[in-house]
Amino acid sequence: MKTSILSALAVVTSVFVASSAQAQDVAAGKTSFNKCLACHAIGEGAKNKVGPELNGLDGRHSGTAPDYSYSDANKKSGITWNKEQFLEYIKDPKAKIPGTKMAFAGIKNETEANNLWAYLSQFDKDGKIKQQ
């Protein structure tokens, strides 16, 4: 009985810690997004700026945000955005897509890049936060 209670407590604790860590990642990612805010928008009502709006980025083909004028390099990159592609790209955008017009040095810190993805990937194509 004692072992069962301790096991159940361990499971509940780990679920709580995991969900807390996820919330912290998204919050940290939102803070990190401030580096992107001058050029990109996300969320309900987001519009293209110097860079495309980022709603629905997870699963979107590169170069396809409506009404944004992409470089040929971006349109022809063949990338479908997901966590792996994004993390590689955000480290050094010009290395991932030579010829991109994105003028950003990149985010080298892996934790920060992961947090930024956690923030960005929660938005659907309409800028609403996806249901968990």
Side-chain angles (χ1 to χ4, degrees):
M1 176 77 173
K2 209 176 201 183
T3 304
S4 302
I5 292 172
L6 288 176
S7 295
L9 184 57
V11 168
V12 170
T13 302
S14 60
V15 168
F16 176 75
V17 169
S19 62
S20 294
Q22 176 65 18
Q24 291 170 346
D25 291 347
V26 171
K30 183 177 182 180
T31 298
S32 184
F33 186 71
N34 288 332
K35 294 178 180 180
C36 313
L37 204 48
C39 299
H40 296 280
I42 197 163
E44 292 186 62
K47 303 280 185 227
N48 295 324
K49 294 180 170 184
V50 172
E53 54 86 7
L54 299 176
N55 289 330
L57 187 62
D58 189 12
R60 184 166 90 188
H61 296 286
S62 182
T64 62
D67 302 320
Y68 184 76
S69 177
Y70 284 95
S71 65
D72 284 340
N74 219 304
K75 289 188 276 190
K76 296 176 181 176
S77 71
I79 292 172
T80 298
W81 294 111
N82 60 27
K83 183 177 182 178
E84 181 182 337
Q85 293 287 347
F86 176 80
L87 293 177
E88 189 178 323
Y89 177 80
I90 203 64
K91 276 190 258 181
D92 187 352
K94 290 191 179 287
K96 177 72 174 168
I97 304 178
T100 186
K101 36 185 200 180
M102 182 155 154
F104 181 66
I107 295 175
K108 312 297 189 236
N109 180 290
E110 191 175 327
T111 300
E112 182 180 2
N114 275 291
N115 291 343
L116 180 57
W117 178 254
Y119 176 69
L120 294 175
S121 65
Q122 71 177 339
F123 291 92
D124 68 15
K125 66 180 181 61
D126 296 321
K128 293 183 169 74
I129 293 181
K130 299 174 191 172
Q131 297 299 321
Q132 301 299 329

